[in-house]
Amino acid sequence: MTMTETLELVSANKCFGGWLKRYKHHARALDCEMTFSIYLPPQAEESKVPLLWWLSGLTCTDENFMQKAGAQRIAAELGIAIVCPDTSPRGLDLPGEHDSYDFGSGAGFYLNAKREPWARHYRMYDYVNDELPSVVRQHFPVNGRESISGHSMGGHGALVLALRQPGRFSSVSAFAPIVNPMDVPWGHKAFENYLGDERGDWRPYDACELVAKGASRQPLFIDQGEADQFLEEQLKPERLETVCKTHDHPLTLRRQPGYDHSYYFIATFIEDHLRYHAKYLMKR
Amino acid sequence: MTMTETLELVSANKCFGGWLKRYKHHARALDCEMTFSIYLPPQAEESKVPLLWWLSGLTCTDENFMQKAGAQRIAAELGIAIVCPDTSPRGLDLPGEHDSYDFGSGAGFYLNAKREPWARHYRMYDYVNDELPSVVRQHFPVNGRESISGHSMGGHGALVLALRQPGRFSSVSAFAPIVNPMDVPWGHKAFENYLGDERGDWRPYDACELVAKGASRQPLFIDQGEADQFLEEQLKPERLETVCKTHDHPLTLRRQPGYDHSYYFIATFIEDHLRYHAKYLMKR
């Protein structure tokens, strides 16, 4: 892509010596206008910095993580930029798009839809994996080293993007990810409606399936709250644990007693994740 | 007060090893049901801990600070509980109560109203200063040492509560406080409507007037963003600076270049404030 994208600045807040900025742009992959947030640490004023992608969960926008996780403090110390995309196309009014919290707007599941009326707009995989990275590299002082993390649906997105593309991300982690979306209610509903009935089309978006397929050997670092209200029905980390063990895939799964699915859980452990990514991002 | 208040638990989230809890209770001072948040650090499971009162600004509830400031991390390290009251009576429908963001609901200004229809319910000074502290001391493992801080309208509240009661709080600080509400638009509107036309009734709620009166000698610690959108019209820290200088009242006013009025500003400097309060709260 050689054409320079046009970005419209929505807001800018100084934060821990760096800047949190929100931008609007026309997303070609999604054929709609999108907003994203980027935190630029103080170091970005002097030199190019590495970048962490953060993918958020159901119902979130680009704002929730930046407002609630407290990640900027550590990013400012380590010299890491953070980009938060939105979680679905916006500003459309497709039939049924706004009817439920776990499908349609706020619930793009980081995939490329095949079924109508979703196929034209709901292409969050391409948006998050290709278009937005290209936009970010054009406009901001980033050095090309990128890691990825996310929460819940966004944890699923982070694992899928990393496992499908060995070498693309320096490191990957997740908080309470949906590790086996094909076979839990949230993912089953989304995959059936976005992708159709063919389970073969679902596998490229399922972390357990991707580990079993064995394309990547990248270590996975995951935190999961033991008091998470979605643990038993939607998250099922034991399935990832089993498949990683079977296929000898490196996994660090920390079960955190008493923690739930909220941003208070993320805020508590985000420092560990940023320091984990920094080890890889700063490696010579 | 000997009667034990009834509290209804609304939610509980584990956070940095401690617990963030929200409770509902009937507030007698306000004659309505109120919700407050309390963060109990891990140390509170073993022994009684000191307490920081946080008073929020216009439009906030008990939740904003707990979600956005990142204070729990430091409170957990230092062993300090934090209580956030709501910013006005709730659940009423007084004429005009919900018409503007800077008066009525979400804008109680931490005073006891004298004018109708506000006088019966809008008694946030008594609620925050007497009733809620009594409730908290009855139900939670706090040791009686209390400091106070707040933001904007809540910074005004913190300064006023502390300056009127020498010795009541171990220490006081504020972020971007309304230091001279009598003579700025936000405060003038609130005082006129809640208190009436008599400026003598306004003075006990104005930090600059209270410093001039000289009842307290307690040091004031204040952070103010230089890019704060309300700096020139509503906040006017130079007035407090002048009156403190004239009356030899100890003031540390830090002007922070580039920072605005948002929670990103608070999040950046809350650690300094908590460590400041800890020095006083832990003093033997």
Side-chain angles (χ1 to χ4, degrees):
Chain A
M1 187 164 5
T2 53
M3 201 178 80
T4 297
E5 304 278 344
T6 307
L7 297 186
E8 180 192 335
L9 183 66
V10 176
S11 62
N13 302 92
K14 194 168 179 183
C15 186
F16 289 97
W19 287 90
L20 174 63
K21 297 185 175 185
R22 300 183 71 213
Y23 291 93
K24 275 191 214 173
H25 72 131
H26 178 78
R28 280 177 289 179
L30 310 176
D31 197 13
C32 67
E33 185 170 75
M34 292 290 284
T35 304
F36 69 90
S37 289
I38 183 166
Y39 178 68
L40 292 164
Q43 294 86 341
E45 289 179 21
E46 312 262 294
S47 60
K48 294 188 173 187
V49 295
L51 171 63
L52 176 72
W53 290 91
W54 175 267
L55 305 185
S56 288
L58 291 168
T59 76
C60 288
T61 69
D62 63 295
E63 288 197 279
N64 306 62
F65 178 78
M66 293 296 193
Q67 291 176 340
K68 296 182 170 179
Q72 294 93 325
R73 177 182 63 86
I74 314 141
E77 180 201 320
L78 298 171
I80 297 173
I82 304 176
V83 175
C84 296
D86 204 344
T87 57
S88 76
R90 297 288 178 179
L92 310 170
D93 251 323
L94 305 177
E97 189 183 13
H98 311 307
D99 291 355
S100 49
Y101 81 98
D102 57 358
F103 183 77
S105 51
F109 271 86
Y110 306 102
L111 53 73
N112 293 330
K114 300 183 84 163
R115 276 183 69 181
E116 297 303 342
W118 314 104
R120 179 172 159 202
H121 297 285
Y122 275 69
R123 303 184 60 78
M124 288 295 289
Y125 187 93
D126 283 354
Y127 174 67
V128 165
N129 196 51
D130 299 322
E131 183 174 354
L132 192 54
S134 163
V135 169
V136 168
R137 287 176 208 135
Q138 278 177 44
H139 286 88
F140 301 99
V142 290
N143 68 9
R145 293 209 168 206
E146 302 181 9
S147 291
I148 191 165
S149 186
H151 174 230
S152 195
M153 175 182 76
H156 141 74
L159 294 175
V160 164
L161 263 69
L163 288 168
R164 281 172 67 157
Q165 306 171 99
R168 162 77 172 86
F169 297 99
S170 299
S171 48
V172 56
S173 78
F175 291 77
I178 309 173
V179 297
N180 184 204
M182 288 178 71
D183 292 311
V184 301
W186 276 342
H188 194 279
K189 175 179 176 180
F191 286 8
E192 194 162 47
N193 284 283
Y194 288 134
L195 298 172
D197 299 329
E198 194 55 66
R199 282 176 65 92
D201 292 336
W202 301 5
R203 292 201 178 91
Y205 297 112
D206 186 292
C208 284
E209 291 285 332
L210 292 165
V211 166
K213 206 178 143 198
S216 166
R217 294 278 306 146
Q218 188 163 45
L220 310 179
F221 175 42
I222 294 174
D223 269 314
Q224 173 64 59
E226 289 191 334
D228 189 319
Q229 55 271 46
F230 302 111
L231 181 59
E232 308 228 330
E233 194 182 357
Q234 307 281 6
L235 304 176
K236 298 185 178 292
E238 66 281 2
R239 292 191 184 166
L240 184 67
E241 211 164 30
T242 301
V243 72
C244 282
K245 200 167 179 190
T246 305
H247 295 270
D248 200 24
H249 192 113
L251 166 69
T252 304
L253 171 62
R254 306 194 306 186
R255 289 186 163 83
Q256 304 288 3
Y259 287 90
D260 61 23
H261 201 65
S262 72
Y263 273 90
Y264 297 112
F265 161 60
I266 300 174
T268 301
F269 298 106
I270 192 68
E271 179 161 359
D272 292 351
H273 286 241
L274 279 161
R275 294 195 188 282
Y276 173 83
H277 291 296
K279 276 194 310 184
Y280 293 89
L281 289 167
M282 309 300 182
K283 207 179 262 178
R284 294 191 173 266
Chain B
M1 189 161 8
T2 53
M3 203 179 78
T4 297
E5 304 280 343
T6 307
L7 298 186
E8 180 193 337
L9 184 67
V10 176
S11 63
N13 302 93
K14 194 168 178 183
C15 186
F16 289 96
W19 286 90
L20 173 62
K21 298 185 176 184
R22 301 183 70 213
Y23 291 92
K24 275 191 213 171
H25 72 130
H26 178 78
R28 279 177 290 178
L30 311 176
D31 196 14
C32 67
E33 185 171 75
M34 292 291 283
T35 304
F36 67 90
S37 290
I38 182 168
Y39 178 68
L40 292 163
Q43 295 84 341
E45 290 180 20
E46 313 262 294
S47 59
K48 293 188 173 187
V49 295
L51 170 63
L52 177 72
W53 290 91
W54 175 270
L55 305 184
S56 289
L58 291 168
T59 77
C60 289
T61 69
D62 64 295
E63 288 198 279
N64 306 62
F65 178 78
M66 294 295 193
Q67 291 177 338
K68 295 182 170 179
Q72 294 93 325
R73 179 182 62 87
I74 314 142
E77 180 201 320
L78 298 171
I80 296 174
I82 304 175
V83 175
C84 296
D86 205 343
T87 57
S88 76
R90 298 289 178 179
L92 310 170
D93 251 323
L94 306 177
E97 189 183 13
H98 311 307
D99 291 356
S100 49
Y101 81 99
D102 58 358
F103 183 76
S105 51
F109 272 85
Y110 306 102
L111 53 73
N112 293 331
K114 299 183 85 162
R115 276 183 67 181
E116 297 303 340
W118 314 104
R120 179 174 158 201
H121 297 286
Y122 276 70
R123 303 185 60 79
M124 287 297 288
Y125 187 92
D126 284 352
Y127 174 65
V128 165
N129 197 51
D130 299 320
E131 182 174 356
L132 192 53
S134 163
V135 169
V136 167
R137 288 176 209 135
Q138 277 178 43
H139 285 87
F140 302 99
V142 290
N143 68 11
R145 292 209 169 207
E146 302 183 9
S147 291
I148 191 164
S149 186
H151 174 231
S152 196
M153 175 183 76
H156 142 75
L159 294 174
V160 164
L161 263 68
L163 287 167
R164 282 173 65 157
Q165 306 170 99
R168 162 78 172 83
F169 297 99
S170 299
S171 49
V172 56
S173 78
F175 291 77
I178 308 172
V179 297
N180 184 206
M182 286 178 71
D183 292 311
V184 300
W186 278 340
H188 194 278
K189 175 179 175 179
F191 286 7
E192 194 163 48
N193 284 283
Y194 289 134
L195 299 171
D197 299 328
E198 194 53 67
R199 281 175 66 92
D201 292 334
W202 302 4
R203 291 200 179 92
Y205 297 112
D206 186 292
C208 283
E209 291 286 333
L210 291 165
V211 167
K213 207 178 141 199
S216 164
R217 296 276 308 147
Q218 189 163 43
L220 311 179
F221 175 41
I222 294 175
D223 269 314
Q224 173 64 58
E226 288 191 335
D228 190 317
Q229 56 269 48
F230 302 111
L231 181 59
E232 308 228 332
E233 196 183 357
Q234 307 281 6
L235 304 176
K236 300 187 178 291
E238 67 280 2
R239 291 193 185 165
L240 184 67
E241 213 164 27
T242 302
V243 72
C244 282
K245 199 166 178 192
T246 306
H247 295 270
D248 201 24
H249 192 113
L251 166 69
T252 303
L253 171 62
R254 307 194 304 186
R255 289 185 163 85
Q256 305 287 4
Y259 287 89
D260 61 22
H261 202 65
S262 71
Y263 273 91
Y264 297 113
F265 161 60
I266 300 174
T268 302
F269 298 106
I270 191 68
E271 179 161 1
D272 293 352
H273 286 243
L274 279 161
R275 294 194 188 284
Y276 174 82
H277 291 295
K279 274 194 311 184
Y280 293 89
L281 288 168
M282 309 299 181
K283 208 178 261 177
R284 292 188 177 269

